[in-house]
Amino acid sequence: MSALRVCSLYPDLMNIYADRGNIAVLRARCEWRGLGFELSASGLGEPLDPDSADLFYIGGGQDRDQALVARDMVETKREALHAAAARGAVVLAVCGGYQLLGHGYRVGDSELPGIGLVDLRTVREPGPRLIGNCAIEADLGTGPRVIAGFENHGGRTYLGAGEQPLGRVLKGFGNNGRDGFEGVRRGNVIGTYLHGPLLPKNAWLADRLIELALGVELEPLDDALEDAAHASARRAAGV
Amino acid sequence: MLRAGTAAARAVRALSRAARRGGTTLPGRVLLRLEPRAIELLGGRLRDGAVLVSATNGKTTASSMLAAALRRAGCEIVHNRAGSNMSWGVATALLDADGRARQLGLLEVDELWLPQIADQLDPRLILLSNLFRDQLDRYGELELIADRWAEVAARHDGRARFVLNADDPLVADLGRGRSQVTYFGVEDDSHALPGLEHASDSKNCRNCGSRYEYDAVYLAHMGRYRCPGCGRGRPEPQVVAERIELDGMRGSRVVIRAPAGRIDLRLPLPGLYNVYNALAAATAALELGAAPEDVRAALEEMAAAFGRVERIPVGERELLILLVKNPAGANEVLRTLALEERPLDLWLGLNDRIADGRDVSWIWDADYELLAGRVRRATCSGTRAEEMALRLKYAGVDAEIAVERDLGRSLDQALGAAGGTLYALPTYTALLELRDLLARRGVAGRWSA
């Protein structure tokens, strides 16, 4: 079987909530199965080859860093990410990175540009940041399952009429604290506010992403500790 | 209402001490409820003025060190020594300001509370040591704290002396263009790291946004840096730590060079992070008039601040407690542990209560990989014990990893299985619970404000 090729976008800027935990889990779960794992990175000003990876990852960043990244991503990576998504590569965008998948992120009078990979808009509205443990129910083709995590975002995200959310909020705020939905999913493009180390809390999701990226079915691992950690994150959210 | 407020608060403090609770916050809460201006009014009684200490990491240790040096130099100190550092903790400590003797207020202050408390106390000196990524759900982004601190620096310019860490670009930047600033820094390239740690935030210049270039990185984003865009770099420190020899958990030797003289120090606390704490405290103490010899003698007698490298004998074994609450602090503890020659017996307490930060994501920013191949047995406890255990698994810790949420049971298991020393790495509230448990069992004393 071929190796999983992961490309981490702006890993030095978009990593505020320990996003590298996601990469660590993907790597370990590939290697424990004897699958290869190759990690590349693409930063500010660097062009992106759409065929260079099976899974593209972008995490969250501080406001200033997110603004730098937003402009750069539109200029240097938008077309490549559209091409990668069109050929079925997995794009996992978390927190600040999720906001940049849509048309833009408006804060006051200014708007950060997005790459328009999915039909959604994000707005900083009056009111508190949406912070707390969160759990959602999502179906990634293997039946409904729970994704547990933590969200911390000032922006409220609204999906366009034809767009599907990643899941239904069981506990927490989700996209905007109002409509009861969380994240976005179009094919293998996934965006979510469940930030930082999302995959350590949901090893099943890590495996599902590897399957979608490689078009394979994975053998199970001994996941006693992973299952216990998932249960712990769910319990924290009250689910 | 100040008189009624202080009387009520003192009564509450006496009661909570009689009940053998620490009593560091409730008296202050009562006082501030009855007299919202209590900090300002009581602070006015400090005839030698106030000194504020803030940082993400090390503020309790650095202020204990500073207190010890100033006491040895003959000052009478009013100090929130148990590290209760929000307004109510400061108010509780200020109950001891009597307005009669010459007293100096030495107050450790939470990063977010610094602007307000600085305005209330009009301090004569503000010591700021570092800013790291910490509890993003409570503090928000690092840049926001840096902005608030910049406002403090502007408002108190010309009124307070600032003692700042030249090696931390976010902190050093606060002193630019200001007159009353003393910088401290490390100058010993034998302790430089290969590069910036993963969990570094302030990699870009606050002035122009360019990426800093580092000649040497000592700890997280602290080191000798320069901005290639606007040319701003590390300011030349007046007080320098050099010739540093780290001796594992036992401590270190370091030479502190200052205009007032040279201090050859044998520091009984481990790690480069405590060298920074000692350097910060020494710089402030010298600035406040302590003699170099007083500073040396005080620092050499330092016992650890509460929960920071505390050694507690428990039967045949020794429990060594190392508070771990954010990535930068964790990395320093892990790096120091990795210097130990024998395989480690560990107890890790991960809580997600409000004072810890509800979000436990940060454990994936800390370099637990440093422990791979060095652990004999690890016991994970606390409200998020399973997630701590999982972190160790993915860090490549291939020893037995036990999970037991209940703190008492997990500690008994870990102590029972430990060879000699059990290293306990609790988050803040896990430390409070651990300390409480040990006190109930009679193996450790209580602490008080």
Side-chain angles (χ1 to χ4, degrees), chain B residues 22 29 68 77 80 96 127 152-153 159-160 196 221 225 234 259 297-298 340 381 394 408 426 430 436 443:
Chain B
R29 285 186 195 271
I77 306 284
N80 53 342
D96 290 332
L127 165 60
V152 171
R159 304 184 57 79
L196 285 174
H221 56 256
Y225 53 89
R234 169 183 181 259
E340 294 296 287
S381 187
Y394 283 80
D436 207 40
V443 292

Side-chain angles (χ1 to χ4, degrees), chain B residues 98-264:
Chain B
D98 59 17
R100 289 189 292 273
R102 290 188 54 171
Q103 291 176 315
L104 176 74
L106 171 54
L107 298 156
E108 167 193 338
V109 181
D110 176 84
E111 300 92 286
L112 285 181
W113 281 96
L114 182 68
Q116 184 181 327
I117 290 172
D119 287 350
Q120 287 167 332
L121 287 176
D122 194 18
R124 59 189 274 203
L125 186 146
I126 301 179
L127 165 60
L128 302 174
S129 292
N130 55 63
L131 276 177
F132 298 117
R133 192 182 271 215
D134 186 23
Q135 294 187 30
L136 293 152
D137 55 327
R138 184 163 92 80
Y139 291 106
E141 299 177 353
L142 209 47
E143 293 278 342
L144 299 178
I145 297 181
D147 290 345
R148 291 208 191 179
W149 281 18
E151 290 162 18
V152 171
R155 273 207 301 280
H156 294 267
D157 187 25
R159 304 184 57 79
R161 173 157 287 278
F162 282 83
V163 173
L164 303 175
N165 185 347
D167 295 349
D168 184 331
L170 277 178
V171 172
D173 208 52
L174 302 170
R176 271 183 228 285
R178 311 206 182 278
S179 50
Q180 296 189 57
V181 179
T182 307
Y183 283 109
F184 61 88
V186 166
E187 294 191 348
D188 185 340
D189 284 2
S190 65
H191 294 281
L193 299 171
L196 285 174
E197 286 171 4
H198 175 79
S200 306
D201 272 315
S202 60
K203 299 171 210 170
N204 293 66
C205 175
R206 292 250 311 158
N207 186 41
C208 75
S210 305
R211 157 109 359 171
Y212 286 121
E213 289 171 357
Y214 279 81
D215 291 333
V217 177
Y218 294 124
L219 191 165
H221 56 256
M222 282 157 42
R224 226 167 44 244
Y225 53 89
R226 192 183 146 74
C227 171
C230 65
R232 282 189 178 183
R234 169 183 181 259
E236 191 70 31
Q238 293 96 317
V239 182
V240 165
E242 58 192 16
R243 287 198 258 161
I244 300 165
E245 295 167 31
L246 299 178
D247 187 21
M249 277 294 155
R250 284 165 292 281
S252 60
R253 302 195 64 144
V254 53
V255 174
I256 294 177
R257 185 164 47 76
R262 171 188 148 123
I263 302 170
D264 282 68

Side-chain angles (χ1 to χ4, degrees), chain B residues 72-99:
Chain B
R72 190 169 268 273
C75 296
E76 187 178 327
I77 306 284
V78 172
H79 179 204
N80 53 342
R81 63 191 169 94
S84 182
N85 58 21
M86 303 196 203
S87 67
W88 41 89
V90 169
T92 301
L94 288 174
L95 286 171
D96 290 332
D98 59 17

